[in-house]
């Protein structure tokens, strides 16, 4: 008998979403991630949960409706991570005519099920706060609703849900060999230790590494896919409102400028073909300049490359040519040869469709194992067991229970942990009860929680994925955090050895 029903290689959004789905259906699941959860392309998305107007522009009405239906699901199951936002498209005389934008948004409204978000509207921004940050030529804009998501926390929270349903999540674990017969025999280097496990089926969800894993580890024909690089830049806050500005560029791409971590603006996404090592992916100077130029077509405040505080890039595989049309479409491939264990290969796709993509992938195994019906669209992610409309009330409740929290800190913590904030702060009566502080916003209690419950091992795991506090943390606090985590990691390793 095999050790597991399903082994998954890759701890990005596709991998953890499959682990969550399969574990909740009763399968014995193990997931291997060579680094940290969501450390590659899953932390380099545009942070959007959307139907995608560019897809609608190609008359892909069914694709848009499915994505908008998933938008409703995400708001229901992850209200702390997925927040509704007001999107604004300034009407640019050199781009799409106003009548075309009105028509597209009219269709967008009617394709959206549920009607939980405000519908689109035409806005005179001549004397409107929305127009304050824009250059003078823009007198009209079109507003509509979509959502922003904390992509990297969505990955970690999905993994947490999978683990609580029985999945074994192993970070720092690299699969180096896989032998296929009626079961899979996998050799894994797990934090320096060699392990051999068996599984009745295998999923290759290693993102940009999927082709090389297929060829060198699984020794099967790699998928005929191309690599695509996605990138954004982070600059100082360019506007005072909480709106997301949708900027039309001369190449007909849409670039989004969204509020980011209170004091910053995220601008992206630029998509380009990529060749090279996915672990070394980075934005080029030309790509950074491209996004700065788009911003400078619209905003009063000029953005130069020297103003870029941080750039974020990730690579993934896409079927066909690596153009915009294919970047948002995920791929699920299924190989079920006679008398051989099944192989799933899942890569690409946007954040919005990840849950449904995982559900469809796991369902391909139905002929092989008995399992329960799909369930992930109905069950809240950890911390998300409250209505979306109650988010502000959750923040107020947190400040009432932990009176030492300031408004910004309470907002950050509820956005990250939702109704499970008590697992981080416990019965603390004051900041001193949370242990030492690493800067004004990160405490020993939170770091301990992230290390013991959310697989954080290194400072970057905490500062750039489970939070974005790396944007404001001083070098001295970073050094103190690294020393604290090194001591904590040694203690956790000793406890693991004793067990």
């Amino acid at each position: 008998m095999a050790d597991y029903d399903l082994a998954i290689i890759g701890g990005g959004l596709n991998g953890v979403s499959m682990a969550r789905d399969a574990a909740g259906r009763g399968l014995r699941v193990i997931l291997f991630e060579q680094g940290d959860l969501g450390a590659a392309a899953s932390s380099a998305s545009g942070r959007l949960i959307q139907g995608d107007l560019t897809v609608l522009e190609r008359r892909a009405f069914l694709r848009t409706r499915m994505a908008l239906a998933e938008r409703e699901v995400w708001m229901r199951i992850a209200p702390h991570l997925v927040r509704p936002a007001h999107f604004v498209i300034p009407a640019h005389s050199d781009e799409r005519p106003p009548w075309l934008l009105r028509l597209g948004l009219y269709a967008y409204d009617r394709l959206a099920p549920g009607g939980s978000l405000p519908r689109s509207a035409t806005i005179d921004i001549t004397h409107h706060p929305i127009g304050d940050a824009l250059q003078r030529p823009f007198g009209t804009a079109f507003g509509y609703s979509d959502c922003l998501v904390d992509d990297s926390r969505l990955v970690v929270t999905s993994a947490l849900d999978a683990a609580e349903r029985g999945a074994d999540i192993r970070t720092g674990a690299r699969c180096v060999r896989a032998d296929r017969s009626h079961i899979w025999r996998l050799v894994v280097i797990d934090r320096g230790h060699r392990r051999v496990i068996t599984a009745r089926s295998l999923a290759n969800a290693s993102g940009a590494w999927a082709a090389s894993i297929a060829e060198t580890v699984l020794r099967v024909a790699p998928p005929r896919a191309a690599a695509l690089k996605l990138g954004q830049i982070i600059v100082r806050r360019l506007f005072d409102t909480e709106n997301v500005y949708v900027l039309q560029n001369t190449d007909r791409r849409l670039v989004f400028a969204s509020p980011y971590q209170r004091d910053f603006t995220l601008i992206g996404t630029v998509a380009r073909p990529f060749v090279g090592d996915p672990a070394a992916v980075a934005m080029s100077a030309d790509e950074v300049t491209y996004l700065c130029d788009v911003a400078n077509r619209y905003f009063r405040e000029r953005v130069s490359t020297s103003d870029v505080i941080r750039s974020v890039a990730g690579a993934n595989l896409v079927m066909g040519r690596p153009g915009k049309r294919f970047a948002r479409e995920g791929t699920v491939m299924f190989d079920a040869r006679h008398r051989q264990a099944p192989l799933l290969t899942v890569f690409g796709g946007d954040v919005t469709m990840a849950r449904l993509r995982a559900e469809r992938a796991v369902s391909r195994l139905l002929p092989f194992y008995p399992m329960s019906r799909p369930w992930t669209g109905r069950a809240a992610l950890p911390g998300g067991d409250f209505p979306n409309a109650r988010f502000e009330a959750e923040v107020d409740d947190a400040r009432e229970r932990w009176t030492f929290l300031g408004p910004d800190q309470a907002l950050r913590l509820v956005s990250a942990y939702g109704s499970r904030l008590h697992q981080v702060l416990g019965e603390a009566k004051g900041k001193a009860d949370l242990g030492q502080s690493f800067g004004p916003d990160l405490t020993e209690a939170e770091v301990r929680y992230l290390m013991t419950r959310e697989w954080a091992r290194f400072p970057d795991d905490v500062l750039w994925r489970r939070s974005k506090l790396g944007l404001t943390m001083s070098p001295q606090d970073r050094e103190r955090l690294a020393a604290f985590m090194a001591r904590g990691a040694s203690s956790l390793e000793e406890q693991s050895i004793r067990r």
Side-chain angles (χ1 to χ4, degrees), residues 41-79:
S42 295
S43 295
S45 79
R47 299 176 64 244
L48 303 174
I49 297 289
Q50 58 166 347
D52 196 338
L53 289 173
T54 59
V55 171
L56 181 61
E57 194 172 33
R58 296 193 298 271
R59 301 180 183 179
F61 300 113
L62 178 60
R63 167 66 175 82
T64 300
R65 182 169 177 80
M66 289 171 58
L68 290 172
E70 283 300 292
R71 186 185 70 182
E72 294 291 319
V73 171
W74 285 121
M75 285 193 294
R76 185 169 63 248
I77 69 174

Side-chain angles (χ1 to χ4, degrees), residues 402-416:
W402 297 283
T403 56
F404 54 87
L405 293 178
D408 292 334
Q409 189 178 20
L411 176 62
R412 180 187 74 82
L413 291 170
V414 173
S415 297

Side-chain angles (χ1 to χ4, degrees), residues 61 144 175 193 233 273 302 307 322 352 425 433 436 440 453:
F61 300 113
Y144 69 99
C175 184
H193 303 284
I233 58 174
R302 301 288 296 177
D307 295 321
T352 306
L425 302 183
D433 296 331
Q436 64 177 305
R453 297 295 303 277

Side-chain angles (χ1 to χ4, degrees), residues 272-293:
R272 295 286 189 270
F274 175 73
V275 177
D277 181 1
V281 63
M283 292 188 69
S284 68
D286 287 345
E287 291 160 352
V288 172
T289 299
Y290 171 89
L291 292 177
C292 290
D293 289 345

Side-chain angles (χ1 to χ4, degrees), residues 68 71-72 75 84 112-119 145 147 388:
L68 290 172
R71 186 185 70 182
E72 294 291 319
M75 285 193 294
S116 61
L117 296 181
R119 294 195 167 189
S145 298
C147 294
N388 199 285

Side-chain angles (χ1 to χ4, degrees), residues 257-273:
S258 56
Y260 191 73
Q261 301 300 305
R262 192 172 65 236
D263 298 323
F264 305 96
T265 299
L266 181 74
I267 303 174
T269 299
V270 58
R272 295 286 189 270

